[in-house]
Amino acid sequence: MKILIVSDTHRYLGNLQTALEEEGPVDMLIHLGDIEHQMADVIRMAGCPVHMIAGNNDFLCNLPEEEEFEIGSYHVWITHGHRYGVSFDTEEIKEEARILGADIVMFGHTHRPHLEEEEDLITLNPGSMTYPRQSGRQPSYMVMTLDKEGKASFEIKYL
């Protein structure tokens, strides 16, 4: 199973289209917020099941702020992250993820990719497809792959 994880497209979907083309068919798309009224376009482009949540710039939309679901044997919690102090550190969001019993927490908001794999929790942020803030400022996303045994692996990718 191959899952494309993106965030912070901020009304520009050109880089999302490029990532979809480069990755080939994906089984699921996860968008971690700041879509800015492009939800229908994201769903149309993906051509697969999509999980999307609202970010701090998604005003007057009907997206949930958080969602929990399963990917294989993993309990996944997605949130944009702005309500959990992710601009400062990941301690609060990791604490909440553990309370929820999540195996994986995915967030956006900081526009910087982040991947931390601890024994009991995987914390990740794909960065921003549109306004990257990390060194080099390349648009970024992540690919999650489940192997035949159901074990997840993650890769940060840049456009």
Side-chain angles (χ1 to χ4, degrees):
M1 178 175 229
K2 186 175 187 179
I3 299 149
L4 182 65
I5 307 164
V6 302
S7 190
D8 295 279
T9 50
H10 291 282
R11 292 187 152 251
Y12 176 70
L13 299 179
N15 286 342
L16 174 59
Q17 183 64 46
T18 299
L20 284 164
E21 289 168 3
E22 287 186 9
E23 294 306 323
V26 294
D27 300 297
M28 181 185 297
L29 172 70
I30 298 172
H31 195 304
L32 300 170
D34 282 356
I35 304 156
E36 297 188 38
H37 302 289
Q38 303 295 309
M39 290 82 73
D41 292 328
V42 169
I43 291 168
R44 179 186 48 76
M45 289 169 65
C48 63
V50 176
H51 291 271
M52 280 188 279
I53 45 99
N56 60 304
N57 287 299
D58 291 319
F59 306 107
L60 303 172
C61 75
N62 61 356
L63 291 174
E65 289 188 2
E66 302 178 353
E67 184 183 355
E68 294 178 64
F69 55 95
E70 307 299 315
I71 298 177
S73 64
Y74 295 93
H75 183 74
V76 178
W77 173 47
I78 62 174
T79 181
H80 189 60
H82 60 292
R83 299 188 188 280
Y84 297 94
V86 297
S87 293
F88 303 105
D89 63 40
T90 58
E91 293 311 306
E92 186 178 348
I93 200 168
K94 290 191 314 187
E95 180 180 334
E96 184 67 19
R98 288 181 171 109
I99 289 169
L100 293 170
D103 302 302
I104 303 171
V105 58
M106 301 180 184
F107 67 96
H109 188 61
T110 66
H111 294 220
R112 287 185 226 71
H114 174 88
L115 178 59
E116 183 177 0
E117 297 186 58
E118 298 174 89
E119 190 171 310
D120 67 330
L121 183 66
I122 298 166
T123 306
L124 66 85
N125 180 334
S128 174
M129 297 290 284
T130 305
Y131 300 115
R133 294 183 183 147
Q134 78 278 10
S135 178
R137 298 197 184 262
Q138 288 181 275
S140 62
Y141 62 95
M142 280 194 186
V143 173
M144 174 181 176
T145 306
L146 292 183
D147 66 18
K148 291 179 182 178
E149 287 77 43
K151 182 168 175 25
S153 62
F154 303 87
E155 185 178 1
I156 300 169
K157 298 216 172 174
Y158 299 92
L159 296 177

